[in-house]
Amino acid sequence: MAQSTPSTAYSRDLGDELRRLRETCTDLKGHEVASRLGWDPSKVSTIEHGKARPSEIDLVQFLTMCGKDLDYFEDFKRRYRNAFEEYIVQLPGNLRTVAMAESTATKIFSYNTLTVPGLLQTAQYAECLCRAAGMTLEEQISPLVKARIDRQAILRKHDRPSCLFYIHELALRQQFGGDQVMADQYLQLFFSAHMVRVVPADVPVNSAGILLWEYEKAMPIAYAETDLTQVFVQDRGAIARTRLIFDRLAEIALDEEQSRRKLAEYVNSPREELDAPGPRMA
């Protein structure tokens, strides 16, 4: 029997991988797989939704039904081993778990200090960002940019999540690509101003940035990334601390109208004026 346990971003990702295997490698519906394996009819659904931890025997039976061999099973078991942990660490660039986590969220809170958030980036900005990092092979840049832009489709869904993006003004001042790339990026942010709150430049940066995804029927997930790792957290204490960060940001960030005017300054002002020293008013 599959062991019921709170799901995580990664368990739901791997469960979805099992669902896709069943659909592409067999012509069986979930209840038909359950019948052939002698499982309870609901077992396939709970495993494919990442809501239950299957035993090794369960995985062997399921993957064998999908025509997979022992090597495939060993690789999947290795990846599945920590799927239900409260802290999941992955290599950077693995966008599948991120995409699934954000696409199923009902609310998204984001804080970015150095760059424009991925869900609001233009393709040209994203490409220049990849090149500036210097850690991506040339042949990988185009697929990464496409994946990032494809993720933005969630903002156009009829049941799209409620989003609030806090962006430190330092991220607006950093230039990736030429003036036209930045001008287009500023314009895209301005068109999304109803979702953006600008943190003024004179507010010290005390965080590299963080995300909080909230769900209707699952535990919230805090997410942070560096050049070396991406971390998914479902520890209750960490979630509470993350909410405190966003409570504080709500206090210090410009309000919606002030943020709109600040973004308009970047849209309308020459680059050299934005880089000039001295205070800038909201």
Side-chain angles (χ1 to χ4, degrees):
M1 186 69 180
Q3 179 184 352
S4 180
T5 185
S7 66
T8 68
Y10 197 37
S11 73
R12 294 193 290 273
D13 181 9
L14 291 175
D16 188 64
E17 185 174 336
L18 291 174
R19 177 192 60 79
R20 290 188 301 107
L21 280 174
R22 171 178 60 78
E23 292 178 345
T24 57
C25 298
T26 80
D27 57 358
L28 300 174
K29 303 294 185 182
H31 70 275
E32 293 173 324
V33 170
S35 177
R36 291 199 180 191
L37 296 179
W39 292 359
D40 183 275
S42 65
K43 185 171 177 176
V44 172
S45 176
T46 56
I47 289 175
E48 290 184 351
H49 284 86
K51 295 179 179 179
R53 183 195 295 271
S55 68
E56 287 195 15
I57 297 300
D58 292 336
L59 281 179
V60 167
Q61 292 176 339
F62 190 99
L63 293 174
T64 299
M65 176 74 69
C66 294
K68 300 304 178 182
D69 59 17
L70 183 60
D71 288 339
Y72 190 98
F73 164 74
E74 290 295 340
D75 175 69
F76 195 91
K77 182 179 72 171
R78 175 187 57 78
R79 291 188 290 130
Y80 208 96
R81 184 174 296 118
N82 300 316
F84 289 86
E85 299 296 324
E86 291 181 330
Y87 287 78
I88 301 294
V89 180
Q90 295 184 347
L91 293 174
N94 183 356
L95 298 179
R96 177 187 155 94
T97 307
V98 172
M100 187 160 188
E102 67 189 7
S103 68
T104 54
T106 56
K107 294 182 180 180
I108 297 176
F109 298 90
S110 170
Y111 177 41
N112 288 68
T113 59
L114 300 178
T115 63
V116 170
L119 288 177
L120 298 180
Q121 291 176 8
T122 66
Q124 293 76 21
Y125 179 95
E127 180 179 342
C128 293
L129 189 60
C130 286
R131 295 185 189 283
M135 300 179 66
T136 306
L137 296 176
E138 182 65 30
E139 60 268 23
Q140 296 175 335
I141 291 178
S142 182
L144 282 174
V145 171
K146 183 180 185 305
R148 183 163 300 182
I149 300 305
D150 287 348
R151 284 165 49 202
Q152 297 175 3
I154 70 166
L155 300 180
R156 300 186 293 272
K157 296 194 306 180
H158 73 279
D159 58 345
R160 59 186 176 274
S162 170
C163 298
L164 191 54
F165 299 93
Y166 291 96
I167 306 176
H168 198 282
E169 197 170 354
L170 177 61
L172 302 179
R173 293 183 173 184
Q174 292 215 101
Q175 182 162 1
F176 296 96
D179 288 347
Q180 189 59 52
V181 170
M182 295 305 300
D184 291 343
Q185 181 61 75
Y186 293 144
L187 195 60
Q188 177 142 314
L189 288 174
F190 183 76
F191 289 147
S192 304
H194 61 288
M195 298 185 291
V196 175
R197 300 294 180 272
V198 176
V199 180
D202 59 359
V203 174
V205 176
N206 58 1
S207 170
I210 196 165
L211 275 156
L212 180 66
W213 295 304
E214 294 191 351
Y215 304 89
E216 185 176 351
K217 296 182 179 180
M219 188 172 177
I221 299 171
Y223 172 80
E225 64 181 18
T226 70
D227 290 337
L228 301 178
T229 61
Q230 47 190 39
V231 184
F232 302 80
V233 183
Q234 287 187 229
D235 172 73
R236 294 185 184 278
I239 296 298
R241 291 192 295 275
T242 302
R243 284 186 168 139
L244 288 175
I245 292 174
F246 285 105
D247 288 345
R248 177 59 177 159
L249 286 167
E251 296 175 356
I252 62 178
L254 303 180
D255 64 25
E256 180 176 351
E257 185 53 38
Q258 290 171 328
S259 295
R260 188 184 301 274
R261 292 203 302 268
K262 175 62 69 176
L263 291 171
E265 291 181 22
Y266 281 85
V267 170
N268 296 323
S269 298
R271 185 75 202 176
E272 55 271 18
E273 288 184 15
L274 295 174
D275 291 335
R280 299 181 57 83
M281 302 302 292

mmCIF file of all heavy atoms in Angstrom, residues 102-136:
data_model
loop_
_atom_site.group_PDB
_atom_site.id
_atom_site.type_symbol
_atom_site.label_atom_id
_atom_site.label_comp_id
_atom_site.label_asym_id
_atom_site.label_seq_id
_atom_site.Cartn_x
_atom_site.Cartn_y
_atom_site.Cartn_z
ATOM 1 N N GLU A 102 4.847 26.469 -9.908
ATOM 2 C CA GLU A 102 4.205 27.763 -10.110
ATOM 3 C C GLU A 102 2.916 27.643 -10.914
ATOM 4 O O GLU A 102 1.970 28.421 -10.732
ATOM 5 C CB GLU A 102 5.163 28.750 -10.774
ATOM 6 C CG GLU A 102 5.558 28.440 -12.178
ATOM 7 C CD GLU A 102 6.677 29.336 -12.698
ATOM 8 O OE1 GLU A 102 7.236 30.109 -11.907
ATOM 9 O OE2 GLU A 102 7.007 29.239 -13.895
ATOM 10 N N SER A 103 2.841 26.646 -11.817
ATOM 11 C CA SER A 103 1.654 26.521 -12.658
ATOM 12 C C SER A 103 0.444 26.019 -11.882
ATOM 13 O O SER A 103 -0.701 26.218 -12.320
ATOM 14 C CB SER A 103 1.927 25.582 -13.838
ATOM 15 O OG SER A 103 2.116 24.254 -13.401
ATOM 16 N N THR A 104 0.679 25.370 -10.737
ATOM 17 C CA THR A 104 -0.436 24.862 -9.928
ATOM 18 C C THR A 104 -0.720 25.741 -8.722
ATOM 19 O O THR A 104 -1.632 25.453 -7.943
ATOM 20 C CB THR A 104 -0.139 23.431 -9.455
ATOM 21 O OG1 THR A 104 1.131 23.399 -8.771
ATOM 22 C CG2 THR A 104 -0.078 22.462 -10.630
ATOM 23 N N ALA A 105 0.031 26.829 -8.555
ATOM 24 C CA ALA A 105 -0.160 27.721 -7.410
ATOM 25 C C ALA A 105 -1.398 28.589 -7.601
ATOM 26 O O ALA A 105 -1.791 28.912 -8.725
ATOM 27 C CB ALA A 105 1.065 28.603 -7.217
ATOM 28 N N THR A 106 -2.006 28.972 -6.482
ATOM 29 C CA THR A 106 -3.116 29.924 -6.526
ATOM 30 C C THR A 106 -2.625 31.341 -6.245
ATOM 31 O O THR A 106 -3.246 32.316 -6.663
ATOM 32 C CB THR A 106 -4.199 29.554 -5.509
ATOM 33 O OG1 THR A 106 -3.619 29.467 -4.200
ATOM 34 C CG2 THR A 106 -4.832 28.214 -5.866
ATOM 35 N N LYS A 107 -1.497 31.454 -5.528
ATOM 36 C CA LYS A 107 -0.894 32.756 -5.252
ATOM 37 C C LYS A 107 0.621 32.645 -5.393
ATOM 38 O O LYS A 107 1.213 31.640 -4.993
ATOM 39 C CB LYS A 107 -1.226 33.240 -3.829
ATOM 40 C CG LYS A 107 -2.698 33.536 -3.591
ATOM 41 C CD LYS A 107 -2.916 34.046 -2.165
ATOM 42 C CE LYS A 107 -4.384 34.346 -1.912
ATOM 43 N NZ LYS A 107 -4.607 34.838 -0.523
ATOM 44 N N ILE A 108 1.235 33.670 -5.968
ATOM 45 C CA ILE A 108 2.689 33.721 -6.113
ATOM 46 C C ILE A 108 3.178 35.057 -5.574
ATOM 47 O O ILE A 108 2.721 36.116 -5.997
ATOM 48 C CB ILE A 108 3.118 33.569 -7.582
ATOM 49 C CG1 ILE A 108 2.712 32.198 -8.123
ATOM 50 C CG2 ILE A 108 4.634 33.758 -7.725
ATOM 51 C CD1 ILE A 108 3.019 32.014 -9.615
ATOM 52 N N PHE A 109 4.102 34.989 -4.614
ATOM 53 C CA PHE A 109 4.774 36.173 -4.096
ATOM 54 C C PHE A 109 6.249 36.051 -4.462
ATOM 55 O O PHE A 109 6.868 35.005 -4.238
ATOM 56 C CB PHE A 109 4.626 36.285 -2.577
ATOM 57 C CG PHE A 109 3.208 36.419 -2.111
ATOM 58 C CD1 PHE A 109 2.453 35.290 -1.812
ATOM 59 C CD2 PHE A 109 2.612 37.656 -1.987
ATOM 60 C CE1 PHE A 109 1.136 35.400 -1.380
ATOM 61 C CE2 PHE A 109 1.299 37.793 -1.558
ATOM 62 C CZ PHE A 109 0.557 36.656 -1.255
ATOM 63 N N SER A 110 6.814 37.111 -5.021
ATOM 64 C CA SER A 110 8.192 37.057 -5.495
ATOM 65 C C SER A 110 8.947 38.298 -5.048
ATOM 66 O O SER A 110 8.388 39.398 -5.047
ATOM 67 C CB SER A 110 8.197 36.969 -7.033
ATOM 68 O OG SER A 110 9.498 37.153 -7.558
ATOM 69 N N TYR A 111 10.204 38.104 -4.650
ATOM 70 C CA TYR A 111 11.089 39.234 -4.334
ATOM 71 C C TYR A 111 12.388 39.038 -5.078
ATOM 72 O O TYR A 111 13.073 38.030 -4.916
ATOM 73 C CB TYR A 111 11.344 39.310 -2.835
ATOM 74 C CG TYR A 111 12.318 40.408 -2.426
ATOM 75 C CD1 TYR A 111 12.273 41.670 -3.011
ATOM 76 C CD2 TYR A 111 13.279 40.180 -1.438
ATOM 77 C CE1 TYR A 111 13.154 42.673 -2.628
ATOM 78 C CE2 TYR A 111 14.159 41.176 -1.041
ATOM 79 C CZ TYR A 111 14.093 42.422 -1.640
ATOM 80 O OH TYR A 111 14.975 43.417 -1.267
ATOM 81 N N ASN A 112 12.724 39.995 -5.952
ATOM 82 C CA ASN A 112 13.962 39.940 -6.722
ATOM 83 C C ASN A 112 14.778 41.195 -6.449
ATOM 84 O O ASN A 112 14.248 42.304 -6.465
ATOM 85 C CB ASN A 112 13.663 39.850 -8.216
ATOM 86 C CG ASN A 112 13.116 38.498 -8.613
ATOM 87 O OD1 ASN A 112 12.006 38.138 -8.238
ATOM 88 N ND2 ASN A 112 13.888 37.736 -9.368
ATOM 89 N N THR A 113 16.058 40.993 -6.213
ATOM 90 C CA THR A 113 16.927 42.117 -5.868
ATOM 91 C C THR A 113 17.916 42.472 -6.964
ATOM 92 O O THR A 113 18.374 43.620 -7.042
ATOM 93 C CB THR A 113 17.724 41.809 -4.582
ATOM 94 O OG1 THR A 113 18.509 40.632 -4.798
ATOM 95 C CG2 THR A 113 16.796 41.587 -3.404
ATOM 96 N N LEU A 114 18.281 41.528 -7.820
ATOM 97 C CA LEU A 114 19.337 41.759 -8.808
ATOM 98 C C LEU A 114 18.859 41.693 -10.249
ATOM 99 O O LEU A 114 19.491 42.268 -11.128
ATOM 100 C CB LEU A 114 20.478 40.751 -8.599
ATOM 101 C CG LEU A 114 21.174 40.795 -7.239
ATOM 102 C CD1 LEU A 114 22.236 39.706 -7.155
ATOM 103 C CD2 LEU A 114 21.798 42.162 -7.001
ATOM 104 N N THR A 115 17.771 40.985 -10.492
ATOM 105 C CA THR A 115 17.279 40.834 -11.865
ATOM 106 C C THR A 115 15.760 40.920 -11.880
ATOM 107 O O THR A 115 15.095 40.750 -10.852
ATOM 108 C CB THR A 115 17.699 39.483 -12.473
ATOM 109 O OG1 THR A 115 17.099 38.423 -11.717
ATOM 110 C CG2 THR A 115 19.209 39.319 -12.482
ATOM 111 N N VAL A 116 15.204 41.144 -13.047
ATOM 112 C CA VAL A 116 13.764 41.102 -13.241
ATOM 113 C C VAL A 116 13.301 39.652 -13.049
ATOM 114 O O VAL A 116 13.973 38.721 -13.518
ATOM 115 C CB VAL A 116 13.405 41.605 -14.654
ATOM 116 C CG1 VAL A 116 11.929 41.352 -14.980
ATOM 117 C CG2 VAL A 116 13.751 43.079 -14.790
ATOM 118 N N PRO A 117 12.180 39.418 -12.369
ATOM 119 C CA PRO A 117 11.712 38.034 -12.187
ATOM 120 C C PRO A 117 11.430 37.343 -13.512
ATOM 121 O O PRO A 117 10.981 37.977 -14.481
ATOM 122 C CB PRO A 117 10.441 38.199 -11.345
ATOM 123 C CG PRO A 117 10.052 39.626 -11.469
ATOM 124 C CD PRO A 117 11.302 40.385 -11.701
ATOM 125 N N GLY A 118 11.696 36.051 -13.559
ATOM 126 C CA GLY A 118 11.580 35.290 -14.794
ATOM 127 C C GLY A 118 10.223 35.391 -15.461
ATOM 128 O O GLY A 118 10.129 35.422 -16.688
ATOM 129 N N LEU A 119 9.145 35.429 -14.676
ATOM 130 C CA LEU A 119 7.806 35.472 -15.247
ATOM 131 C C LEU A 119 7.501 36.796 -15.924
ATOM 132 O O LEU A 119 6.499 36.920 -16.627
ATOM 133 C CB LEU A 119 6.755 35.187 -14.168
ATOM 134 C CG LEU A 119 6.667 33.738 -13.675
ATOM 135 C CD1 LEU A 119 5.631 33.615 -12.566
ATOM 136 C CD2 LEU A 119 6.341 32.780 -14.819
ATOM 137 N N LEU A 120 8.374 37.818 -15.738
ATOM 138 C CA LEU A 120 8.152 39.132 -16.346
ATOM 139 C C LEU A 120 9.264 39.515 -17.324
ATOM 140 O O LEU A 120 9.277 40.635 -17.830
ATOM 141 C CB LEU A 120 8.032 40.203 -15.253
ATOM 142 C CG LEU A 120 6.874 40.043 -14.267
ATOM 143 C CD1 LEU A 120 6.890 41.161 -13.245
ATOM 144 C CD2 LEU A 120 5.536 40.011 -14.992
ATOM 145 N N GLN A 121 10.176 38.617 -17.599
ATOM 146 C CA GLN A 121 11.294 38.932 -18.486
ATOM 147 C C GLN A 121 10.882 38.875 -19.949
ATOM 148 O O GLN A 121 10.061 38.053 -20.339
ATOM 149 C CB GLN A 121 12.445 37.945 -18.262
ATOM 150 C CG GLN A 121 13.144 38.084 -16.919
ATOM 151 C CD GLN A 121 14.212 37.030 -16.710
ATOM 152 O OE1 GLN A 121 14.539 36.275 -17.619
ATOM 153 N NE2 GLN A 121 14.764 36.985 -15.512
ATOM 154 N N THR A 122 11.478 39.747 -20.772
ATOM 155 C CA THR A 122 11.370 39.598 -22.217
ATOM 156 C C THR A 122 12.360 38.526 -22.662
ATOM 157 O O THR A 122 13.316 38.195 -21.935
ATOM 158 C CB THR A 122 11.699 40.910 -22.941
ATOM 159 O OG1 THR A 122 13.081 41.231 -22.723
ATOM 160 C CG2 THR A 122 10.823 42.050 -22.459
ATOM 161 N N ALA A 123 12.165 37.993 -23.856
ATOM 162 C CA ALA A 123 13.070 36.959 -24.364
ATOM 163 C C ALA A 123 14.485 37.510 -24.523
ATOM 164 O O ALA A 123 15.466 36.820 -24.211
ATOM 165 C CB ALA A 123 12.552 36.419 -25.697
ATOM 166 N N GLN A 124 14.610 38.750 -24.987
ATOM 167 C CA GLN A 124 15.932 39.334 -25.206
ATOM 168 C C GLN A 124 16.660 39.557 -23.879
ATOM 169 O O GLN A 124 17.861 39.299 -23.759
ATOM 170 C CB GLN A 124 15.800 40.658 -25.973
ATOM 171 C CG GLN A 124 15.314 40.521 -27.403
ATOM 172 C CD GLN A 124 13.816 40.237 -27.486
ATOM 173 O OE1 GLN A 124 13.065 40.509 -26.541
ATOM 174 N NE2 GLN A 124 13.394 39.691 -28.623
ATOM 175 N N TYR A 125 15.933 40.034 -22.885
ATOM 176 C CA TYR A 125 16.525 40.222 -21.561
ATOM 177 C C TYR A 125 16.979 38.878 -20.990
ATOM 178 O O TYR A 125 18.085 38.746 -20.450
ATOM 179 C CB TYR A 125 15.501 40.884 -20.636
ATOM 180 C CG TYR A 125 15.977 41.127 -19.214
ATOM 181 C CD1 TYR A 125 16.519 42.354 -18.839
ATOM 182 C CD2 TYR A 125 15.857 40.140 -18.237
ATOM 183 C CE1 TYR A 125 16.931 42.594 -17.533
ATOM 184 C CE2 TYR A 125 16.273 40.358 -16.933
ATOM 185 C CZ TYR A 125 16.802 41.587 -16.584
ATOM 186 O OH TYR A 125 17.216 41.807 -15.280
ATOM 187 N N ALA A 126 16.129 37.862 -21.106
ATOM 188 C CA ALA A 126 16.471 36.535 -20.588
ATOM 189 C C ALA A 126 17.718 35.988 -21.268
ATOM 190 O O ALA A 126 18.596 35.388 -20.621
ATOM 191 C CB ALA A 126 15.298 35.580 -20.782
ATOM 192 N N GLU A 127 17.822 36.192 -22.583
ATOM 193 C CA GLU A 127 19.001 35.714 -23.316
ATOM 194 C C GLU A 127 20.259 36.433 -22.840
ATOM 195 O O GLU A 127 21.298 35.794 -22.601
ATOM 196 C CB GLU A 127 18.807 35.928 -24.811
ATOM 197 C CG GLU A 127 19.988 35.470 -25.649
ATOM 198 C CD GLU A 127 19.770 35.665 -27.129
ATOM 199 O OE1 GLU A 127 18.610 35.835 -27.549
ATOM 200 O OE2 GLU A 127 20.771 35.652 -27.875
ATOM 201 N N CYS A 128 20.184 37.751 -22.696
ATOM 202 C CA CYS A 128 21.352 38.515 -22.235
ATOM 203 C C CYS A 128 21.729 38.136 -20.810
ATOM 204 O O CYS A 128 22.913 38.104 -20.456
ATOM 205 C CB CYS A 128 21.060 40.016 -22.330
ATOM 206 S SG CYS A 128 20.888 40.616 -24.022
ATOM 207 N N LEU A 129 20.736 37.838 -19.997
ATOM 208 C CA LEU A 129 20.998 37.409 -18.625
ATOM 209 C C LEU A 129 21.754 36.094 -18.606
ATOM 210 O O LEU A 129 22.714 35.921 -17.841
ATOM 211 C CB LEU A 129 19.666 37.282 -17.880
ATOM 212 C CG LEU A 129 19.720 37.044 -16.374
ATOM 213 C CD1 LEU A 129 20.444 38.177 -15.665
ATOM 214 C CD2 LEU A 129 18.301 36.898 -15.834
ATOM 215 N N CYS A 130 21.349 35.153 -19.444
ATOM 216 C CA CYS A 130 22.048 33.864 -19.527
ATOM 217 C C CYS A 130 23.501 34.055 -19.959
ATOM 218 O O CYS A 130 24.416 33.439 -19.405
ATOM 219 C CB CYS A 130 21.344 32.946 -20.518
ATOM 220 S SG CYS A 130 19.792 32.236 -19.933
ATOM 221 N N ARG A 131 23.716 34.924 -20.938
ATOM 222 C CA ARG A 131 25.078 35.155 -21.423
ATOM 223 C C ARG A 131 25.927 35.845 -20.361
ATOM 224 O O ARG A 131 27.107 35.520 -20.188
ATOM 225 C CB ARG A 131 25.042 35.992 -22.698
ATOM 226 C CG ARG A 131 24.367 35.307 -23.868
ATOM 227 C CD ARG A 131 24.477 36.132 -25.141
ATOM 228 N NE ARG A 131 23.652 35.574 -26.203
ATOM 229 C CZ ARG A 131 23.970 34.494 -26.915
ATOM 230 N NH1 ARG A 131 25.111 33.883 -26.683
ATOM 231 N NH2 ARG A 131 23.161 34.052 -27.858
ATOM 232 N N ALA A 132 25.334 36.790 -19.641
ATOM 233 C CA ALA A 132 26.091 37.529 -18.627
ATOM 234 C C ALA A 132 26.529 36.627 -17.490
ATOM 235 O O ALA A 132 27.604 36.828 -16.901
ATOM 236 C CB ALA A 132 25.245 38.682 -18.089
ATOM 237 N N ALA A 133 25.724 35.618 -17.171
ATOM 238 C CA ALA A 133 26.077 34.720 -16.069
ATOM 239 C C ALA A 133 27.324 33.906 -16.400
ATOM 240 O O ALA A 133 28.089 33.535 -15.502
ATOM 241 C CB ALA A 133 24.906 33.789 -15.752
ATOM 242 N N GLY A 134 27.534 33.609 -17.691
ATOM 243 C CA GLY A 134 28.732 32.899 -18.111
ATOM 244 C C GLY A 134 28.786 31.444 -17.704
ATOM 245 O O GLY A 134 29.846 30.821 -17.724
ATOM 246 N N MET A 135 27.643 30.863 -17.322
ATOM 247 C CA MET A 135 27.631 29.478 -16.841
ATOM 248 C C MET A 135 26.792 28.561 -17.730
ATOM 249 O O MET A 135 26.554 27.410 -17.399
ATOM 250 C CB MET A 135 27.091 29.427 -15.409
ATOM 251 C CG MET A 135 27.909 30.234 -14.412
ATOM 252 S SD MET A 135 27.238 30.174 -12.741
ATOM 253 C CE MET A 135 27.491 28.439 -12.331
ATOM 254 N N THR A 136 26.325 29.093 -18.885
ATOM 255 C CA THR A 136 25.456 28.322 -19.760
ATOM 256 C C THR A 136 26.114 28.147 -21.113
ATOM 257 O O THR A 136 26.581 29.113 -21.720
ATOM 258 C CB THR A 136 24.106 29.041 -19.941
ATOM 259 O OG1 THR A 136 23.539 29.316 -18.665
ATOM 260 C CG2 THR A 136 23.143 28.177 -20.741
#
